[in-house]
Amino acid sequence: MKPIFPALLFLTACGSINPLTVARLSQLDPLTSDPANLAAQVTLPPDIAIPTGGMEMYFGATRNGQEKGATVQLDQHGDIWRLSPEDVIRLEALQREIAIWKAEDSDGTEGTLSISIAGCSLTGTPDPQGEISVRLSFDGGTQFRPFLTGLTVADMMQQIGAGETLDRCNGL
């Protein structure tokens, strides 16, 4: 199977993706890596938050026009985002299914891993120069590696077409 390519769906404009972390991701075997060991840390400006259900991960593969995949939510535990135990089980089952594809057609099976984050504003008008960064861990949260740095709220809002405002957070 071709390497899993990580991407942050809305956090790509004007930020830089750390090449060392991308290299580390490309060395992981997504079919044998324990999904329970994936953890993310997101640093946000004080006037931005991620609502419940606002951070998702997609894991899947394509082969000959067919796709197997799952989108799962990452749950917040303090400042760490992790998969729920139920989603870990779901992704482990998906890993086994994709492993069969890989055994049948290694070169024709291509994997994908992406993370998307939906932010909301605590103040109504977030500081456009506030910085957003993401760090990933592949060992359950012992070591985090920088993944995305240098992204500002203005960059993010431009990318998602939000103009000058961002939806207010409800209940946060």
Side-chain angles (χ1 to χ4, degrees):
M1 180 162 75
K2 295 178 183 174
I4 293 290
F5 180 75
L8 290 172
L9 297 180
F10 95 104
L11 295 179
T12 55
C14 301
S16 63
I17 295 178
N18 186 290
L20 295 175
T21 303
V22 172
R24 170 74 172 114
L25 280 171
S26 70
Q27 294 171 357
L28 291 176
D29 182 350
L31 299 179
T32 60
S33 296
D34 185 352
N37 286 335
L38 176 68
Q41 263 184 338
V42 181
T43 303
L44 300 168
D47 51 357
I48 299 285
I50 300 171
T52 300
M55 190 164 181
E56 296 181 332
M57 182 180 78
Y58 173 82
F59 174 77
T62 57
R63 180 184 75 167
N64 301 325
Q66 295 179 310
E67 182 176 354
K68 288 183 186 277
T71 299
V72 294
Q73 287 185 5
L74 294 168
D75 299 325
Q76 188 172 9
H77 303 273
D79 68 340
I80 308 293
W81 295 79
R82 299 180 185 281
L83 294 169
S84 70
E86 297 81 17
D87 284 335
V88 168
I89 292 167
R90 216 170 126 206
L91 289 185
E92 288 170 341
L94 182 58
Q95 284 176 313
R96 290 188 295 275
E97 292 176 30
I98 294 172
I100 293 169
W101 273 12
K102 181 180 176 185
E104 294 171 351
D105 184 5
S106 180
D107 291 337
T109 304
E110 184 174 331
T112 302
L113 171 67
S114 62
I115 296 175
S116 62
I117 302 171
C120 59
S121 172
L122 296 168
T123 62
T125 310
D127 175 7
Q129 298 309 309
E131 290 194 24
I132 300 167
S133 66
V134 178
R135 297 167 16 113
L136 296 178
S137 173
F138 311 103
D139 62 6
T142 302
Q143 273 190 332
F144 283 89
R145 299 173 188 273
F147 181 67
L148 181 74
T149 58
L151 183 74
T152 66
V153 170
D155 296 332
M156 181 262 309
M157 291 173 66
Q158 179 182 5
Q159 171 124 2
I160 64 173
E164 298 295 319
T165 63
L166 194 60
D167 288 343
R168 286 190 69 97
C169 300
N170 293 325
L172 293 181

